[in-house]
């Protein structure tokens, strides 16, 4: 997939035109979001863009083709953010989720060793209220043995069933799950209506 950075934005009026289809990626800070985006899109330049200081707190849009986009959303769960920053994040996310007609699905990166946490649950609740399909990428699967990975995935699938979300064991390091994640992305992006 040939991805090209379009722009960063905070407010809906600055987003690229809401045409065609897009898939967004979000997750706890340090959960492997940038690595997952790079692995799925097969480009190492994208993370550099989204990790540019200042851009981490912005919504980053990447073009994947004509009217087809991947959106890198600012992560949550930073250790010491002020109430003001947290509110700003929430307002920005609301502005995105509640206005974006072209959004076809959301991928949430969750560190497989942590499992689905409170903030992920809020995200899942929000998506199900808005009718947005979710796929969870259980990242850093290379950190666990095969046995532990299977156990963790089974537990995450049980948790995720509440929201009808799917779970994919994923590792940007050894390539686990990159193909199924990419297929999910493409399935969502092929929903043109
Ligand atoms: N072992 C292992 N480490 C990973 C994997 N993916 C990411 N990491 C490491 O986890 C750390 C965070 O990865 P990022 O991809 O930057 O995570 P992020 O969610 O984008 O982080 P922020 O944008 O800083 O919130 C880095 O040190 C990565 O090298 C993986 O699949 N396996
Ligand atoms: Mg990142």
């Amino acid at each position: 997939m040939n991805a090209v950075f379009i722009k960063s934005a905070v407010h809906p009026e600055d987003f690229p035109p809401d045409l065609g289809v897009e898939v967004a990626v979000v997750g706890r800070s340090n959960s492997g979001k940038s690595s997952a985006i790079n692995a799925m899109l097969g480009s190492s330049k994208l993370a550099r863009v989204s990790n540019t200081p200042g851009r981490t707190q912005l919504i980053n849009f990447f073009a994947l083709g004509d009217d087809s986009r991947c959106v890198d959303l600012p992560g949550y769960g930073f250790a010491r953010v002020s109430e003001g920053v947290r509110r700003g994040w929430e307002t920005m996310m609301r502005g995105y989720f509640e206005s974006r007609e072209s959004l076809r699905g959301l991928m949430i990166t969750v560190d497989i060793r942590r499992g689905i946490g409170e903030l992920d649950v809020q995200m899942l609740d929000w998506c199900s209220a808005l009718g947005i399909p979710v796929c969870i990428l259980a990242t850093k699967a290379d950190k666990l043995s095969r046995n532990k990975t299977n156990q963790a995935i089974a537990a995450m699938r049980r948790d995720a069933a509440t929201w009808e979300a799917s779970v994919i064991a994923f590792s940007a390091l050894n390539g686990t799950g990159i193909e199924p994640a990419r297929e999910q992305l493409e399935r969502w992006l092929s929903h043109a209506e």
Side-chain angles (χ1 to χ4, degrees):
M1 231 178 281
N2 188 24
V4 181
F5 176 66
I6 308 173
K7 71 187 301 197
S8 301
V10 173
H11 306 291
E13 58 269 31
D14 300 322
F15 295 169
D18 196 5
L19 300 170
V21 288
E22 67 190 29
V23 168
V25 188
V26 77
R28 234 190 125 82
S29 141
N30 204 44
S31 61
K33 188 164 63 80
S34 298
S35 306
I37 291 175
N38 285 336
M40 278 189 295
L41 304 185
S43 163
S44 57
K45 293 195 207 107
L46 302 175
R48 224 178 297 148
V49 168
S50 41
N51 279 341
T52 304
R55 281 209 177 128
T56 337
Q57 290 308 308
L58 303 173
I59 298 174
N60 297 302
F61 292 87
F62 300 94
L64 301 176
D66 288 341
D67 290 335
S68 173
R69 294 171 300 277
C70 177
V71 183
D72 180 11
L73 295 167
Y76 43 80
F78 281 98
R80 285 180 294 275
V81 297
S82 65
E83 180 63 15
V85 168
R86 205 189 53 73
R87 285 242 182 87
W89 181 86
E90 213 172 285
T91 306
M92 175 163 44
M93 295 295 264
R94 256 180 215 294
Y96 176 76
F97 279 100
E98 291 173 3
S99 76
R100 210 63 181 159
E101 303 245 335
S102 49
L103 181 62
R104 291 292 175 274
L106 177 74
M107 293 198 168
I108 304 181
T109 52
V110 175
D111 188 321
I112 195 166
R113 297 164 299 176
R114 293 183 76 113
I116 297 168
E118 196 184 324
L119 295 168
D120 304 312
V121 164
Q122 284 176 26
M123 205 68 233
L124 284 156
D125 280 342
W126 202 9
C127 285
S128 69
L130 294 169
I132 300 161
V134 173
C135 169
I136 294 171
L137 299 182
T139 57
K140 312 190 189 184
D142 56 276
K143 294 276 193 186
L144 297 183
S145 67
R146 185 174 294 236
N147 238 336
K148 292 277 179 208
T149 296
N150 291 341
Q151 283 171 23
I153 293 294
M156 285 172 76
R157 288 208 169 119
R158 272 195 302 276
D159 289 347
T162 314
W163 300 273
E164 294 177 28
S166 57
V167 179
I168 296 174
F170 191 91
S171 166
L173 204 73
N174 70 13
T176 301
I178 292 178
E179 215 31 60
R182 200 178 279 152
E183 281 163 16
Q184 174 63 265
L185 186 78
E186 282 172 355
R187 255 194 320 275
W188 278 335
L189 292 174
S190 68
H191 287 194
E193 82 290 345

